[in-house]
Structure formats: C-alpha cells, structure tokens
C-alpha cells in the first residue's frame, strides 16, 4: 500500500512537470506555442505512467483478494464443518445413499430429454447411459431388501398400528412387498444372465414385481387417509381436553403440525409414485420418459429431504 501511494505521488509529480505547470520557462514564454514533438513526447510519457499506475493498482487489488481468500480457506479448514459432517451422515446412511442415486437416476432423464430437444444426440445418449447404469445399480443394492423388510414386518406385529384399519392395511401392504422383492430379484438376475431364467420368466417377473408395487402404492392412499383422520382427532382432542398447561398444549399442537407436514410429504411422494408404478405395470405403456423423470425427481427430492432431516 505504501509503495503504491509513493509511486502514484511520484507519477503525479512527473506528470505535472511534463505538462509545464510549474516550470519557470512556461512563465517566461507563456505566449510561445510548444513544438509538436515536445507535445507528443509529453503525451506518451503521461500515457505510460498512467498505464503503470493502473497495473500497480490491479496488482495490489489481486494481492488483497488473494489474502482474503487465504484467510477464508484457513478459517473454513481449521474450524468445524457441520454441513460437511451432515452430508457425510446423509450419504453414509443406506437410505440417504439410495436417495442420492435416485435423484441422479430420474433427473438425468430430464437432461436426456433436454439434450435431445436441442439436437445434441451424443450428449443425450451419454447421459441416458448414466441414467440406465444408476437404475441398474439401485436394483442391485435392493437384492438384500428382504432382510430389512422382514425386520419391519416383525416390528409392525410387535407394535401394532393405532387403529384396526391401519393394522390390516399394514399386513396386506407388507405381503405385497414380500412378493415384490423376490420377483424383482428374479428379473434382475435373469436379465443379467446371472441365473438361467428364460426370457419369459424374466419378463413375467419384471411386470408382476411392478404390479405388486403398484398395489402397495394404491393401498398407501387409503393408509394416508386413515392417518389423516387420526391426526385430526388428536388435534381436536387437544382443544377439548379441558385444563392444560399452555406450554404443554403448545408442544402438543407443534407435534400435530409436524405430523401434518410429514403427512403432506408422504402424500406427495405417493402421488408421484402412482403414475410411475402404473406405467411400469402395463405392457406397451406410452407414458413419456421425460414424465417418468419429472415424477421420479419430485419423489426422490421429497424422500431425500426426509432423510436429510433424520440425519441432522
């Protein structure tokens, strides 16, 4: 900073002398016209000095900017990183890992459509390849899906739902998923020729696995309807309980509001899955792939949001 100021001061002094403002000769010969060569030399010198001053200011500005960046990086690397820790927790969880790839799988379908619309065929095919690979990978990691499914069935029987309707729905929905998983496994293992299933068996397994999933999604609408009825009943009970501490009442109402928010997210997810499962269940469906990408992306982001909150 001091070197820059002194340089600018010396340049200003030189410029003043070149312009002849303080020269004794200019006072003596004030009516005399300066020569063309003298004027040109003065202008060139002034331009050179001005350029050097600008370069000096730019260099100082760059040094100052680099210093700020260095301080910011030091602070970021030295101190705690809660957001980075949260991302690691999210990706380290089985559900978070799957939802990351689910967003990738469906969003790339939208990208494929955009590239194809713009005539970028090569880019479109490359992104399509990525989307197909991710879809295949997600089916592969579901090969162990029956293990947590068995645990969930066990838990649902040990801790029954708050109403008989919900308990009955849970049992039917669990049965549909217990049929869905083995059929999907047969489809994937046969399609990749890991096991010697015929093409007819592979085709049959693929469609019927999606149909059992579609049945689960349809029943989930009924499940959500019953859940909403119970949530509204909880809220009404809070207001009609009689005397209750204001703080406790507010906590109960906040809990109900959180349940309603979670319910809305689940409804959104299920509404997005419904057309997808129907599309995959029907032979020769004409549902556009870009629509699969849109519905799948919304469902994926909503589920990723739930996992993000759970891993906070």
């Amino acid at each position: 900073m001091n070197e820059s100021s002194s340089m600018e001061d010396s340049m200003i002094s030189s410029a003043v002398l070149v312009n002849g403002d303080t020269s004794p000769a200019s006072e003596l010969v004030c009516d005399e016209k300066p020569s063309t060569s003298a004027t040109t030399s003065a202008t060139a010198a002034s331009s050179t000095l001005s350029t050097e001053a600008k370069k000096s200011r730019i260099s100082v500005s760059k040094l100052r900017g680099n210093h700020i960046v260095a301080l910011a990086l030091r602070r970021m690397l030295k101190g705690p990183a809660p957001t980075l820790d949260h991302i690691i927790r999210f990706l380290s969880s089985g559900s978070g890992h799957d939802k990351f790839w689910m967003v990738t799988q469906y969003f790339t379908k939208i990208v494929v459509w955009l590239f194809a619309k713009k005539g970028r065929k090569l880019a479109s095919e490359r992104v399509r390849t990525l989307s197909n690979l991710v879809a295949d990978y997600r089916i592969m990691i579901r090969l162990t899906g029956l293990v947590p499914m068995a645990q969930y069935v066990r838990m649902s029987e040990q801790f029954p739902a708050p109403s008989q309707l919900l308990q009955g729905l849970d049992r039917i929905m669990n049965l549909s998923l217990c049929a869905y998983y083995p059929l999907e496994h047969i489809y994937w293992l046969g399609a990749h020729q890991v096991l010697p299933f015929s093409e007819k068996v592979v085709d049959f397994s693929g469609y019927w696995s999606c149909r059992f999933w579609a049945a689960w999604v349809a029943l989930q609408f009924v499940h959500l309807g019953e859940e909403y009825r119970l949530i509204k009943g909880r809220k009404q009970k809070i207001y009609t309980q009689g005397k209750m501490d204001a703080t406790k009442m507010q906590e109960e109402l906040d809990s109900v509001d959180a349940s309603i928010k979670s319910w809305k997210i689940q409804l959104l997810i299920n509404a997005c899955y419904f057309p997808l499962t129907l599309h995959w269940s029907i032979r020769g469906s004409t549902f556009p792939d870009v629509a699969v990408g849109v519905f799948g992306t919304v469902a994926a982001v909503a589920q990723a949001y739930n996992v993000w909150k759970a891993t906070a």
Side-chain angles (χ1 to χ4, degrees):
M1 289 293 292
N2 292 335
E3 290 179 0
S4 176
S5 299
S6 60
M7 185 181 293
E8 290 177 6
D9 291 341
S10 65
M11 291 175 182
I12 292 170
S13 300
S14 300
V16 169
L17 289 173
V18 169
N19 288 332
D21 293 335
T22 57
S23 169
S26 66
E27 295 177 3
L28 293 172
V29 202
C30 58
D31 294 331
E32 192 174 315
K33 187 176 180 180
S35 65
T36 306
S37 59
T39 304
T40 304
S41 299
T43 303
S46 176
S47 177
T48 302
L49 291 171
S50 176
T51 303
E52 289 178 359
K54 286 179 181 178
K55 287 181 178 179
S56 175
R57 282 195 291 270
I58 291 170
S59 299
V60 172
S61 177
K62 284 183 178 179
L63 286 173
R64 188 183 300 161
N66 291 338
H67 181 64
I68 292 170
V69 170
L71 287 175
L73 285 172
R74 181 187 292 180
R75 182 175 296 179
M76 182 178 69
L77 296 174
K78 192 174 181 181
T83 302
L84 181 61
D85 293 340
H86 193 177
I87 292 171
I88 292 170
R89 287 195 304 273
F90 174 83
L91 292 176
S92 299
S93 67
S95 186
H97 178 81
D98 177 65
K99 295 308 169 278
F100 169 79
W101 288 115
M102 183 180 175
V103 172
T104 305
Q105 174 191 346
Y106 287 109
F107 184 72
T108 48
K109 287 183 178 293
I110 301 173
V111 176
V112 167
W113 178 79
L114 289 172
F115 278 151
K117 191 177 180 182
K118 292 180 179 180
R120 300 178 62 180
K121 187 177 179 181
L122 181 59
S124 176
E125 289 303 317
R126 285 176 176 172
V127 179
R128 189 190 304 277
T129 301
L130 173 63
S131 181
N132 292 338
L133 283 172
V134 173
D136 197 57
Y137 169 72
R138 290 187 65 234
I139 295 175
M140 185 190 72
I141 61 176
R142 285 200 296 269
L143 287 173
T144 57
L146 273 173
V147 178
M149 187 66 222
Q151 176 70 2
Y152 179 77
V153 171
R154 183 170 173 268
M155 293 288 288
S156 65
E157 291 300 322
Q158 288 181 346
F159 304 96
S163 77
Q164 289 185 353
L165 177 58
L166 285 182
Q167 186 64 19
L169 285 169
D170 283 342
R171 287 170 178 164
I172 298 171
M173 293 166 74
N174 289 341
L175 285 173
S176 69
L177 288 182
C178 286
Y180 157 77
Y181 277 112
L183 287 169
E184 185 184 59
H185 301 341
I186 292 170
Y187 163 77
W188 190 86
L189 293 169
H192 288 280
Q193 299 180 347
V194 176
L195 294 177
F197 295 125
S198 66
E199 186 176 339
K200 186 177 180 181
V201 170
V202 171
D203 188 62
F204 175 88
S205 300
Y207 277 108
W208 275 100
S209 67
C210 292
R211 287 166 185 169
F212 278 111
W213 184 15
W216 186 95
V217 172
L219 290 171
Q220 178 69 352
F221 281 119
V222 183
H223 200 285
L224 287 168
E226 177 66 3
E227 284 181 22
Y228 187 73
R229 186 186 70 80
L230 294 175
I231 292 171
K232 297 297 285 185
R234 278 174 55 201
K235 190 170 186 178
Q236 187 176 6
K237 187 178 179 181
I238 292 170
Y239 286 118
T240 58
Q241 262 185 345
K243 290 186 177 180
M244 182 188 288
D245 181 71
T247 304
K248 187 178 179 181
M249 184 177 183
Q250 187 59 51
E251 288 176 356
E252 292 286 338
L253 289 172
D254 290 342
S255 175
V256 169
D257 289 341
S259 297
I260 291 174
K261 183 179 178 181
S262 177
W263 179 88
K264 288 179 179 178
I265 294 173
Q266 292 301 323
L267 180 63
L268 174 64
I269 294 168
N270 209 58
C272 289
Y273 271 135
F274 188 65
L276 298 182
T277 53
L278 286 180
H279 160 62
W280 293 320
S281 300
I282 300 170
R283 295 179 184 274
S285 172
T286 57
F287 197 66
D289 208 38
V290 65
V292 173
V294 171
F295 282 104
T297 300
V298 174
V301 170
Q303 290 178 91
Y305 170 76
N306 284 340
V307 180
W308 180 263
K309 285 199 308 177
T311 54

